[in-house]
Amino acid sequence: MRFDIAFFLCCCRSFLSSSGRDDSESFYDLLGVEPDASSDELKRAYKRQSLQMHPDKLAQKGQTVTAADRDRFTRMRHAYEVLSDPRRRETYDAIGEQGMKWVEEPLSVDPQELAHNFATSSIMDRSKIFGIFLAIYIAVFVLPVLVCLMADGSLGNAKWVAVLAPLWVWDFFILFYHSRVIMMGPIKRPDHVPEEEWIDPLPMAKRIMSMVRFGLLVLFEVLLALRLDGTIHIPWTFVFIPIYFWEIIALRRKIHLINMTIVTHDELELAIGKKLTNFSPTEREDIHRRFIIVPSKSGPVYEAARRLQLEAKGDIIRISARILFTVLLVTNLDTGFDWSWWIVFLPILGMAVCIVGTAFQNFSEIQTEVAKRDSSIFGMTEAEHNGEQQGTPYATMDENNKTSAEQSEPLTNEEKEELKAKLMQSATRAVATCFSQCFFIFLVCLLIGKIEGAGYSSLVIISPFLLCGGVILCCLACTIFCISEVDENAGMADFDSAVNQAAATAAAGYGSTDAAPSSSTSYVPPAQVQQSTAPKIDGASISTWDPERGQVWEGGQDDINQVDTISETRDEPPVDTLLPPLKEQAYVNPEAVNDSYDLD
């Protein structure tokens, strides 16, 4: 099995189907051959299946050709194309049709399908993924731990050449990568890019220079290990010579990047006098070494070019500080001045302070630029913003007036959002730089204290990284082993039964109002309100209550007098005082009831 397939199976088997195969018909079944069929057998099978499955052949036989028939023939032809290629056939035999599709077309991967396959994968497949992360953790931290133990004397008489064995392994793989990049030759031009516009993004000179710089670093590591073991007895100045060249090459590149001019296509064509497409390859390479070409002086491309130059300035500060630190270190080791290590590390501490100051200076510049374009972002009115610029010298008055005229046009909402995002990004970068450099200064202080003779172990210096890495590893372990598939229909049966029971209880309650409730929590609807009828006198009722029309009176004045008599005999107030005055005709026709009696 090829190495890349084995690595894919080791890393990604849990993302494939749990059965290891696709549910669809295999390519071998489509062609009607065995998995160990030869190339000639595949050709004969393809011809035979084409005669049987081709839509034209089916139409000649009088069959109705459906879309399923066409899809089946297309899939059979694709199966033959895959199996006839030895490399693709080996891939198909190892990881199946779906896995081969993911390898050849990574963008066709369905995230939901991946999540489903991973949630249903076995513990063994998940353990392989966790083992990969664990190996990365060990590979990253094994070298710092060994160096700290060696510095504390915990490894006894071990040699530095043996302790730095993980470093030699890393160097071997990186050198192998650089050699492969050099041997692969020039990058081929894509078909959609015209030949006159194509520029090799990785020219050979750049590849060779990268390998030379890394070779200098490896040479320094070898000299340092031999010098620490006492195998060679040369001054520390000669040990650090590769570092000098390594830093000088990097410094030269960064200075060249800062000196490059950012120009637009139109400005460059106007200055040179011809189109960019008419340049020769040599002229284009020379132009790209001297200029940074952008479409316009605004937009993400221009901001990226400016950010690149700002980062180059920060790199120059770092390189200069490292060179000065190296000089002080070598001087202290070779001459025996016995300087305080705080003085030796002073350039490193100063470098961190300068980096923080540069980050906040960039933020201040962007803040000023945003305020010029739209002062309302900072809650300032136009009058307040103009009042801050009253002290402008006369020499630049015309230029400022021109700028103000250009910026007098109101900005759109999209432009305002872009300015806010730009300002927020710059502020975030400045704050992040401040915190990172403070943490770096804290680690440098721990290192200096240990060199000065502090009693704590050297592992304390790298303990924050070990702790963060351990926390991340634990979170990954919980994520990998605790994910399980959730059944979408889980609990639906209990929910349906509960709903049906509630509906039955409600129906029973409405059907019998006099029945006692089955439980204290059952809902019993109220009994329907019956019409209240006044007691009849001589067969005639005094009034009735209609929910729609209100109180309806019946009978004449004689009936009411009888009611008064009954009320007197019962020592009750007469009905005249309780009832409203009646007209001669006390009967109210239901159809003639006034709307004011309608309770609805």
Side-chain angles (χ1 to χ4, degrees):
M1 184 181 294
R2 298 200 317 267
F3 174 76
D4 56 344
I5 297 179
F7 182 76
F8 180 83
L9 288 176
C10 180
C11 299
C12 305
R13 182 183 289 274
S14 59
F15 294 102
L16 301 176
S17 59
S18 58
S19 60
R21 287 287 182 180
D22 303 310
D23 297 333
S24 58
E25 189 176 6
S26 68
F27 288 170
Y28 294 103
D29 294 337
L30 279 173
L31 294 173
V33 296
E34 297 296 329
D36 57 349
S38 62
S39 300
D40 295 335
E41 292 176 347
L42 289 175
K43 288 183 181 179
R44 290 193 297 267
Y46 174 67
K47 293 179 181 180
R48 182 176 62 252
Q49 294 295 94
S50 297
L51 294 176
Q52 297 178 2
M53 301 173 59
H54 198 283
D56 295 340
K57 299 296 181 182
L58 296 178
Q60 292 176 3
K61 296 178 182 179
Q63 299 182 9
T64 302
V65 181
T66 62
D69 296 332
R70 294 189 178 90
D71 294 341
R72 181 175 172 80
F73 174 75
T74 302
R75 190 165 181 271
M76 188 273 298
R77 184 172 57 186
H78 175 65
Y80 174 72
E81 293 175 355
V82 171
L83 298 180
S84 60
D85 186 348
R87 185 178 182 86
R88 299 182 69 187
R89 181 177 181 178
E90 185 179 2
T91 304
Y92 173 78
D93 291 340
I95 58 180
E97 181 181 359
Q98 191 66 32
M100 184 183 65
K101 185 178 180 181
W102 290 348
V103 172
E104 296 179 350
E105 301 177 8
L107 297 179
S108 64
V109 175
D110 185 7
Q112 294 183 353
E113 184 177 0
L114 290 180
H116 169 74
N117 294 339
F118 183 80
T120 56
S121 61
S122 63
I123 297 296
M124 181 60 67
D125 293 336
R126 300 190 187 194
S127 300
K128 293 179 181 179
I129 297 180
F130 179 74
I132 293 174
F133 287 109
L134 182 61
I136 294 174
Y137 178 84
I138 295 174
V140 170
F141 291 107
V142 63
L143 180 61
V145 170
L146 290 176
V147 171
C148 292
L149 294 176
M150 187 67 178
D152 291 339
S154 303
L155 299 181
N157 297 325
K159 297 290 185 180
W160 280 98
V161 175
V163 172
L164 298 178
L167 182 61
W168 312 135
V169 175
W170 280 107
D171 292 342
F172 171 77
F173 282 109
I174 297 176
L175 285 174
F176 177 75
Y177 165 76
H178 281 289
S179 61
R180 292 285 297 174
V181 170
I182 292 176
M183 289 187 297
M184 74 179 184
I187 299 178
K188 295 182 179 180
R189 175 181 58 85
D191 297 334
H192 65 279
V193 178
E195 185 176 359
E196 61 275 3
E197 297 181 3
W198 170 247
I199 298 177
D200 191 351
L202 200 61
M204 188 60 63
K206 186 175 182 180
R207 305 180 198 180
I208 295 175
M209 183 57 65
S210 298
M211 187 170 184
V212 169
R213 293 187 68 238
F214 186 75
L216 292 173
L217 190 59
V218 173
L219 179 60
F220 165 73
E221 295 168 358
V222 173
L223 293 176
L224 179 63
L226 296 176
R227 181 67 174 82
L228 290 174
D229 288 337
T231 306
I232 58 176
H233 302 278
I234 59 175
W236 288 99
T237 304
F238 295 101
V239 174
F240 281 86
I241 285 179
I243 291 296
Y244 298 148
F245 285 101
W246 189 76
E247 297 286 12
I248 289 173
I249 293 173
L251 184 62
R252 176 179 173 275
R253 292 177 56 189
K254 299 302 179 180
I255 293 176
H256 174 72
L257 180 58
I258 290 178
N259 292 331
M260 294 178 68
T261 306
I262 302 177
V263 296
T264 62
H265 292 86
D266 298 336
E267 293 175 348
L268 185 61
E269 292 176 353
L270 181 62
I272 297 178
K274 62 179 180 180
K275 297 289 185 179
L276 291 176
T277 56
N278 298 330
F279 292 165
S280 63
T282 305
E283 291 176 340
R284 286 199 300 270
E285 291 180 2
D286 182 64
I287 288 174
H288 283 281
R289 283 196 298 265
R290 298 169 55 190
F291 302 98
I292 300 178
I293 305 175
V294 296
S296 62
K297 288 297 183 67
S298 62
V301 179
Y302 176 72
E303 295 298 332
R306 285 189 56 188
R307 193 179 307 114
L308 189 64
Q309 289 191 333
L310 292 176
E311 292 176 355
K313 293 180 180 179
D315 292 338
I316 289 177
I317 296 175
R318 295 183 181 92
I319 294 172
S320 302
R322 290 199 299 263
I323 292 176
L324 182 57
F325 165 73
T326 305
V327 172
L328 293 177
L329 177 62
V330 170
T331 304
N332 197 29
L333 293 174
D334 284 339
T335 59
F337 287 160
D338 197 18
W339 290 339
S340 174
W341 288 101
W342 293 99
I343 298 177
V344 175
F345 280 87
L346 190 60
I348 302 298
L349 300 176
M351 173 194 70
V353 175
C354 292
I355 291 174
V356 173
T358 302
F360 279 97
Q361 182 183 1
N362 296 335
F363 170 68
S364 178
E365 293 176 356
I366 293 178
Q367 189 178 16
T368 304
E369 179 183 353
V370 172
K372 288 181 179 179
R373 296 191 61 184
D374 186 10
S375 58
S376 62
I377 295 179
F378 301 97
M380 298 172 57
T381 62
E382 190 68 23
E384 293 175 349
H385 178 63
N386 294 334
E388 294 181 356
Q389 300 180 352
Q390 290 181 357
T392 304
Y394 290 103
T396 58
M397 184 178 295
D398 295 337
E399 182 179 355
N400 287 337
N401 291 337
K402 181 180 179 180
T403 304
S404 300
E406 292 177 355
Q407 300 298 333
S408 60
E409 298 181 0
L411 299 177
T412 61
N413 293 331
E414 295 182 357
E415 293 176 342
K416 290 182 179 180
E417 292 298 329
E418 290 180 359
L419 289 177
K420 291 181 181 179
K422 180 180 178 180
L423 183 63
M424 183 61 65
Q425 183 179 8
S426 178
T428 304
R429 191 182 302 113
V431 174
T433 302
C434 180
F435 279 102
S436 63
Q437 294 304 314
C438 290
F439 179 70
F440 174 74
I441 292 175
F442 171 72
L443 295 181
V444 171
C445 292
L446 287 179
L447 177 60
I448 297 174
K450 180 61 181 177
I451 297 175
E452 290 285 350
Y456 52 81
S457 173
S458 300
L459 292 174
V460 176
I461 302 174
I462 62 172
S463 59
F465 301 100
L466 295 174
L467 180 61
C468 292
V471 171
I472 294 174
L473 196 63
C474 292
C475 294
L476 287 174
C478 295
T479 304
I480 291 173
F481 292 106
C482 297
I483 290 179
S484 60
E485 188 177 19
V486 178
D487 188 4
E488 297 180 356
N489 297 324
M492 291 300 297
D494 297 339
F495 176 76
D496 293 339
S497 61
V499 171
N500 294 334
Q501 183 179 1
T505 303
Y510 277 107
S512 177
T513 58
D514 297 335
S518 59
S519 63
S520 60
T521 59
S522 300
Y523 170 74
V524 178
Q528 187 175 1
V529 179
Q530 302 292 333
Q531 292 184 354
S532 61
T533 305
K536 292 184 179 181
I537 302 175
D538 295 338
S541 61
I542 298 176
S543 66
T544 58
W545 177 263
D546 191 339
E548 297 182 355
R549 293 177 296 172
Q551 196 169 12
V552 180
W553 296 91
E554 298 180 358
Q557 187 67 29
D558 295 337
D559 297 333
I560 296 178
N561 294 335
Q562 295 177 4
V563 173
D564 294 341
T565 305
I566 295 174
S567 300
E568 292 176 356
T569 59
R570 296 179 179 177
D571 297 332
E572 295 178 357
V575 179
D576 297 351
T577 61
L578 299 176
L579 301 178
L582 301 177
K583 297 181 180 181
E584 294 182 1
Q585 182 64 29
Y587 176 77
V588 179
N589 189 359
E591 298 181 356
V593 176
N594 192 285
D595 294 340
S596 62
Y597 288 96
D598 192 354
L599 297 180
D600 293 334

